[in-house]
């Protein structure tokens, strides 16, 4: 086989070229083999080459002109020359694909489309049987890692082959796997249970064969039953006639609970299987058992003993939470919490159980806080706890201890408490909350899922409650610091600045505008980008500009310049026009005006030349309106715009631009 080490380098073009060559009989076989060689190399594009190689073996939309028979010869040749590999197993798996095919853009190119091989049904059936035989042979006769890969490949294609392919053949393959594994394993059982659902559209005869296989291989022990029906059973959602959905798997769980109770089966000795790893339907099992079993505390005793034998990283809280749901009793929940908190190896379940209490008491929180303070990684387990039953003094005491561990999370909890109590306690907590909130890191706090909405709302409510100049200036200083960072990706900053300008313009802009006007180092560039999008009230800007000689040029940056008439012409904003006349001797104002008039955005239907001409006409309207210095400034702007117009006419691309 050709050695790609002889090529200095390869990239996506190499793969693209080999795919194209696979459409022509003279080069197709060698191209596919070269893709295989490239896929085995440890290079950046090896994964792309592997994917391209694998897709060559699907029955539809493969990037090749080769027949299915030719493709089986290629894969057998590669196996003979190089031995069986994970990549070849994946190719056999892709060859069994029976639905959901897709091609790439080249599929629609007639040059390649006409060469793309389109097999007939008989060929496809034979091809699938060939691949299935190879996989089952690998499973039975290849005891190394490829045995599991072959099994996974069969499992992956099981449902689509039952629905659209060689259903009897793949069921025969399953029989061999079941025999080899001394029973039907839960993962394959789950696939078979799912494929019986109406949405898969199995033929009745195939569905009958599936049901028969399942019935012949039902779990033969209670532990196997718990594993198959409770722990690993898939979700089998089915639409009900009256609307909504039901989960057929939960019916099986309920049947198992009834069977255990009626036959007085000793299931508790197998409880460990319900306390570790993923647990699909264990919550429902525990809930039902808690409602029926006569001695819940006996269950609890065995649960705690079993936890001690399970590695902490493998433990699951699902069963414990299901017991709580079924008991629907805070007294039992507290018994469970106390039992879990007796040992740090299973204390986490007690902390999670605390969030299930319907009416939390301060004493409940003190119990878990002593654990959380030692194991701070447990803190986020109480994220959704309902604290509404606490008094103001109790919530303060609780949050103060949480703040020591994680200040940001303490704010998240207090926000949830305020929401849960419909802000009825806000007045009592306001002074304390301000101390908690108004700190240097105020804009850095995030929730456990990295959101800042609660911080935004806490800040807004605090300012609305007390719009002091001190608070607003403090927040503006923090906002300015955030804008100086690059890049600025946090919408919280924009939202808060918008809020301050909308609701508290006089304090906010008088402070912020002054800082911008006196800035000589252009340190506000990021913030100016936002301010230029903000719709200022021009009257407010004019009033502000009269307070300092440096202010008018800054005001001009943000004033509304003009609007459009019904005839599509530009006309001055009257307030801005009067402002320009009044500041006719201020060259900085006119320089700012020029910068705005000479810039444009690529939107709309007007050309740049037309837009600049419209603006030039606006400037002409200013001539003769101001003092002696006014006309020279205006004429200078007109001349500069005319230069821009000439450039656009001769060298520009006449963009379609907005007015």
């Amino acid at each position: 086989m050709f050695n790609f080490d002889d090529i200095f380098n390869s990239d996506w073009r190499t793969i693209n070229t080999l795919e194209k060559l696979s459409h022509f009989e003279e080069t197709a076989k060698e191209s596919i083999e070269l893709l295989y060689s490239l896929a085995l190399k440890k290079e950046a594009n090896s994964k792309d080459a592997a994917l391209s190689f694998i897709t060559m073996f699907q029955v539809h939309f493969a990037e090749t002109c080769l027949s299915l028979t030719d493709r089986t010869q290629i894969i057998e040749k590669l196996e003979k020359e190089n031995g069986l590999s994970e990549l070849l197993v994946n190719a056999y798996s892709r060859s069994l694909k029976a639905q959901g095919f897709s091609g790439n853009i080249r599929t629609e190119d007639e040059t390649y489309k006409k060469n793309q091989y389109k097999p007939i049904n008989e060929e496809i059936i034979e091809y699938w049987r060939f691949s299935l035989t190879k996989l089952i042979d690998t499973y039975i006769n290849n005891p190394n890692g490829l045995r599991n890969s072959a099994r996974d490949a069969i499992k992956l294609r099981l449902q689509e082959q039952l629905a659209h392919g060689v259903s009897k053949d793949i069921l025969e393959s399953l029989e061999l796997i079941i025999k080899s594994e001394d029973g039907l394993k839960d993962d394959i059982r789950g696939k078979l249970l799912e494929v019986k659902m109406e949405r898969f559209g199995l033929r009745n005869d195939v569905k009958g064969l599936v049901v028969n296989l399942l019935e012949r291989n039902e779990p033969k022990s209670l532990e196997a039953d718990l594993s198959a029906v409770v722990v690993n059973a898939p979700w089998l959602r089915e639409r009900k006639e009256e609307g909504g959905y039901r989960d057929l798997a939960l019916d099986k769980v309920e049947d198992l609970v009834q069977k255990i109770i009626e036959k007085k089966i000793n299931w508790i000795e197998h409880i460990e299987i319900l306390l570790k790893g993923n647990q699909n339907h264990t919550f429902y099992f525990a809930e039902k058992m808690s409602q029926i079993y006569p001695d819940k505390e006996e269950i609890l005793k065995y649960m705690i003993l079993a936890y001690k034998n399970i590695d902490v990283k493998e433990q699951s809280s699902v069963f414990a939470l299901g017991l709580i749901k079924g008991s629907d009793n805070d007294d039992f929940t507290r018994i469970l919490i106390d039992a879990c908190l007796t040992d740090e190896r299973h204390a986490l379940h007690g902390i999670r159980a605390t969030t299930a209490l319907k009416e939390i008491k301060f004493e409940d929180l003190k119990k878990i806080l002593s654990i959380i303070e030692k194991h701070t990684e447990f803190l986020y387990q109480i994220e959704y706890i309902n604290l509404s039953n606490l008094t103001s003094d109790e919530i303060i005491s609780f949050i103060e201890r949480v703040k020591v561990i994680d200040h940001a999370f303490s704010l998240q909890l207090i926000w949830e408490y305020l929401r849960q109590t419909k802000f009825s306690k806000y007045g009592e907590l306001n002074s304390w909350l301000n101390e908690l909130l108004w700190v240097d890191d105020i804009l850095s706090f995030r929730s456990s899922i990295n959101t800042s909405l609660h911080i935004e709302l806490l800040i807004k409510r605090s300012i609305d409650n007390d719009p002091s100049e001190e608070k607003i200036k403090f927040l503006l200083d923090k906002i300015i610091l955030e804008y100086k960072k690059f890049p600025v990706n946090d919408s919280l900053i924009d939202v808060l600045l918008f809020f301050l300008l909308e609701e508290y313009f006089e304090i906010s802009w008088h402070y912020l505008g002054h800082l911008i006007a006196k800035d000589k180092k252009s340190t506000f560039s990021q913030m100016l980008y936002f301010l230029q999008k903000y719709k200022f009230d021009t009257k407010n800007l004019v009033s502000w500009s009269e307070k300092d000689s440096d202010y008018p040029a800054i005001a001009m940056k943000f004033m509304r310049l003009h609007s459009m008439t019904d005839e599509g012409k530009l006309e001055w904003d009257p307030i801005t026009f009067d402002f320009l006349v009044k500041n006719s001797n201020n060259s900085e104002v006119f320089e700012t005006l020029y910068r705005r008039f000479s810039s444009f955005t690529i939107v709309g239907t007007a050309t740049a030349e037309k837009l600049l001409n419209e603006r030039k006409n606006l400037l002409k309207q200013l001539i003769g309106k101001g003092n002696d210095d006014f006309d020279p400034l205006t004429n200078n702007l007109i001349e500069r715009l005319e230069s821009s117009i000439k450039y656009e006419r001769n060298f520009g691309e006449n963009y379609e631009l907005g007015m």
Side-chain angles (χ1 to χ4, degrees), residues 420-627:
Q420 291 161 2
T421 56
K422 299 180 180 179
F423 292 88
S424 62
K425 304 290 181 67
Y426 185 82
E428 298 174 27
L429 298 172
N430 181 46
S431 178
W432 164 79
L433 180 54
N434 280 334
E435 294 179 9
L436 187 70
L437 178 63
W438 293 94
V439 295
D440 285 340
D441 292 332
I442 186 171
L443 298 182
S444 302
F445 294 133
R446 295 296 178 270
S447 72
S448 55
I449 57 172
N450 202 32
T451 65
S452 57
L453 179 61
H454 65 297
I455 299 299
E456 172 197 332
L457 297 175
L458 282 171
I459 290 172
K460 286 180 177 179
R461 182 171 281 270
S462 177
I463 291 177
D464 286 340
N465 188 66
D466 173 27
S468 68
E469 186 173 340
E470 181 185 6
K471 267 186 192 176
I472 292 173
K473 286 182 177 180
F474 177 86
L475 183 58
L476 283 170
D477 285 338
K478 299 305 174 186
I479 289 173
I480 290 168
L481 287 174
E482 291 299 315
Y483 273 120
K484 288 180 180 179
K485 297 176 182 178
F486 187 83
V488 179
N489 295 319
D490 196 339
S491 63
L492 173 65
I493 313 304
D494 289 347
V495 168
L496 289 176
L497 182 53
F498 179 84
F499 164 73
L500 292 176
L501 292 174
E502 284 287 294
E503 304 297 331
Y504 304 99
F505 181 84
E506 185 170 348
I507 298 175
S508 301
W509 184 248
H510 283 229
Y511 181 65
L512 185 58
H514 177 79
L515 292 177
I516 295 172
K518 301 302 179 182
D519 175 48
K520 304 303 180 185
K521 299 180 180 179
S522 301
T523 58
F524 290 91
S525 57
Q526 291 280 344
M527 179 182 285
L528 290 177
Y529 178 73
F530 168 81
L531 292 174
Q532 285 162 354
K533 296 185 293 181
Y534 177 74
K535 293 183 179 180
F536 282 87
D537 185 318
T538 303
K539 287 182 181 179
N540 289 337
L541 287 174
V542 171
S543 297
W544 171 76
S545 72
E546 296 170 352
K547 299 179 184 298
D548 190 293
S549 60
D550 288 332
Y551 290 179
I554 301 302
M556 175 49 58
K557 288 178 181 285
F558 309 115
M559 285 183 177
R560 180 181 179 182
L561 296 179
H562 47 63
S563 59
M564 187 177 290
T565 66
D566 293 339
E567 293 76 29
K569 300 291 184 179
L570 294 185
E571 64 179 6
W572 281 108
D573 181 287
I575 300 176
T576 303
F577 185 89
D578 291 342
F579 172 82
L580 287 168
V581 172
K582 187 175 181 180
N583 289 273
S584 58
N585 61 345
N586 191 324
S587 60
E588 290 186 14
V589 168
F590 277 80
E591 189 60 35
T592 302
L593 176 63
Y594 172 72
R595 283 197 295 270
R596 293 189 65 186
F597 263 12
S598 60
S599 64
F600 39 73
T601 54
I602 305 175
V603 293
T605 58
T607 64
E609 180 185 341
K610 180 181 177 183
L611 175 62
L612 294 174
N613 267 312
E614 289 274 357
R615 290 176 172 176
K616 183 182 76 171
N617 291 334
L618 287 180
L619 288 175
K620 287 181 177 180
Q621 296 174 28
L622 292 171
I623 293 175
K625 303 296 184 182
N627 60 25

Side-chain angles (χ1 to χ4, degrees), residues 63-81:
E63 290 288 327
T64 181
C65 63
L66 295 180
S67 69
L68 299 183
T69 300
D70 289 334
R71 281 178 256 178
T72 59
Q73 291 172 355
I74 290 175
I75 202 169
E76 285 187 308
K77 177 186 175 185
L78 291 172
E79 182 178 345
K80 184 177 180 180
E81 291 178 351

